[in-house]
Amino acid sequence: MDYIKEIKRLQKEKNAVILAHCYQNIEIDNVADYIGDSLYLSQMAAKTDADIIIFAGVYFMAQTAKILNPTKKVILPNIKAGCDMADMINLQQLREFKSKNPNIPTVCYINSTAEVKSECDICCTSSNAVEIVKSLNAEKVLFLPDKNLGKWVEKQLGNVEVITYNGYCPIHNQLNPKEIKETKMQYPNALVLAHPECIEDFLNLADYVGSTTGIMNYVKNSNEKEFIVATEKGVLDRLKRDYPNKKFYDICNTPSICQSMKLNSILDIYNALKNETPEITVDAKIAAKALNCIERMLEVSK
């Protein structure tokens, strides 16, 4: 069976839209309507007039799409696709974090559950985290769950104390300065592009720090020909495909792979469209509170 052809047929028949994060397996781009980072996909989810949203990503992303589209059917092709960082904080842990730091605005990274979003003031992505924190006009903010992104934001702003929860992305957090130096020695002409989920000592050695979209746009607009890409393999795969006249390298020639992001397949998307499962649901009260957190972000990021 030609699954790509069948997916496109079912998509038209059922008025479905397919959103794909750029950490997904690259073949999913063959059926996706929109491909990008969390901010872009959140914006597309908010605008869609489709009846069904197939979200090729991980659980918290599909949850966010459902919160933005309570009357639409939102489907995560592989229900096992989760996020280790999002799982590092639950509602009870959030409440404890807030109780230790009372009366301070709370910013949650989009890599968090609907329950966590429902008790935060505003959401952010790596694309807009600096802009979001700045928009609060506060001397201090609480930031969760990613300590590395939070501290990077603090450094960029310089005039806001960012109190971070001790969460992190296992993929980015494990990258270390020694590896970047070794890779730079191997490819001395390459610029280092890093995601702000990496640790500070690692980011200090990068030529550019930005979200997945930021990294891809940097390559697009750069006259340089060689890049060391310090983020998930999906970004590297797309850069190699889109810019064949440029060279891209992993840190120490070892790809950074998020296994959860790789769980969705073309077959999963076909089955999801055909059977309209597994559907994502969010408790109505939690969704209503979380919606405010997400909409505030989208308003700032217009």
Side-chain angles (χ1 to χ4, degrees):
M1 184 188 292
D2 185 339
Y3 288 113
I4 292 173
K5 186 178 178 181
E6 280 300 297
I7 287 168
K8 290 181 177 178
R9 181 187 66 78
L10 286 168
Q11 197 179 352
K12 192 173 180 181
E13 182 183 298
K14 298 190 176 193
N15 187 29
V17 66
I18 300 175
L19 309 179
H21 193 274
C22 44
Y23 290 174
Q24 291 291 290
N25 293 301
I26 196 166
E27 60 267 21
I28 286 175
D29 291 9
N30 292 319
V31 295
D33 297 292
Y34 301 102
I35 305 151
D37 63 9
S38 295
L39 175 60
Y40 176 70
L41 296 177
S42 295
Q43 290 168 330
M44 293 306 101
K47 292 176 183 177
T48 186
D49 58 0
D51 297 314
I52 297 173
I53 299 171
I54 305 290
F55 210 122
V58 292
Y59 192 80
F60 76 80
M61 296 177 180
Q63 267 194 333
T64 301
K66 181 63 179 178
I67 291 163
L68 289 165
N69 297 278
T71 62
K72 300 182 190 300
K73 188 172 281 190
V74 177
I75 300 166
L76 180 65
N78 191 317
I79 200 66
K80 293 179 182 176
C83 173
D84 289 339
M85 185 202 297
D87 291 342
M88 288 180 186
I89 186 165
N90 58 32
L91 202 52
Q92 183 59 36
Q93 289 165 321
L94 169 60
R95 287 170 177 164
E96 288 171 6
F97 182 51
K98 289 173 73 173
S99 70
K100 289 175 184 173
N101 303 279
N103 304 314
I104 300 173
T106 308
V107 181
C108 66
Y109 195 17
I110 201 162
N111 299 42
S112 55
T113 64
E115 289 79 9
V116 166
K117 289 183 177 75
S118 74
E119 291 214 9
C120 290
D121 295 299
I122 193 167
C123 191
C124 77
T125 72
S126 52
S127 290
N128 62 14
V130 172
E131 181 186 18
I132 294 296
V133 172
K134 187 178 180 180
S135 76
L136 295 172
N137 294 313
E139 291 181 1
K140 296 181 181 181
V141 300
L142 302 186
F143 194 97
L144 58 111
D146 188 4
K147 61 182 180 180
N148 295 327
L149 178 60
K151 285 303 174 186
W152 180 76
V153 169
E154 181 180 72
K155 190 174 180 180
Q156 302 314 298
L157 289 173
N159 61 348
V160 181
E161 182 185 352
V162 179
I163 302 165
T164 57
Y165 183 80
N166 192 31
Y168 55 87
C169 166
I171 305 303
H172 291 107
N173 194 67
Q174 69 184 355
L175 298 173
N176 66 67
K178 182 176 176 231
E179 290 175 332
I180 207 171
K181 289 173 183 174
E182 288 173 4
T183 311
K184 189 73 176 174
M185 284 178 67
Q186 195 173 355
Y187 307 109
N189 297 322
L191 296 183
V192 178
L193 314 180
H195 195 284
E197 290 176 11
C198 298
I199 64 171
E200 183 178 2
D201 288 348
F202 188 95
L203 296 178
N204 288 339
L205 298 173
D207 297 290
Y208 171 79
V209 178
S211 68
T212 50
T213 293
I215 287 170
M216 294 168 100
N217 284 335
Y218 186 92
V219 171
K220 178 182 178 181
N221 298 320
S222 175
N223 292 323
E224 299 296 323
K225 297 295 183 184
E226 293 184 64
F227 303 92
I228 298 162
V229 182
T231 190
E232 211 277 340
K233 181 177 179 289
V235 174
L236 196 80
D237 290 342
R238 285 164 178 81
L239 289 172
K240 286 178 177 178
R241 177 196 65 195
D242 295 342
Y243 305 99
N245 61 326
K246 298 184 179 185
K247 293 181 179 179
F248 302 95
Y249 314 109
D250 290 300
I251 299 294
C252 289
N253 299 312
T254 305
S256 299
I257 299 174
C258 175
Q259 297 296 343
S260 285
M261 276 286 190
K262 301 303 190 218
L263 287 176
N264 297 300
S265 67
I266 289 286
L267 180 58
D268 288 331
I269 291 172
Y270 167 73
N271 287 328
L273 258 176
K274 182 185 175 186
N275 303 318
E276 299 184 17
T277 60
E279 186 176 357
I280 301 300
T281 58
V282 181
D283 177 83
K285 287 183 180 178
I286 289 171
K289 291 172 72 178
L291 179 62
N292 181 57
C293 173
I294 298 164
E295 284 189 331
R296 280 191 70 186
M297 172 188 76
L298 294 175
E299 186 63 31
V300 172
S301 296
K302 274 185 176 176

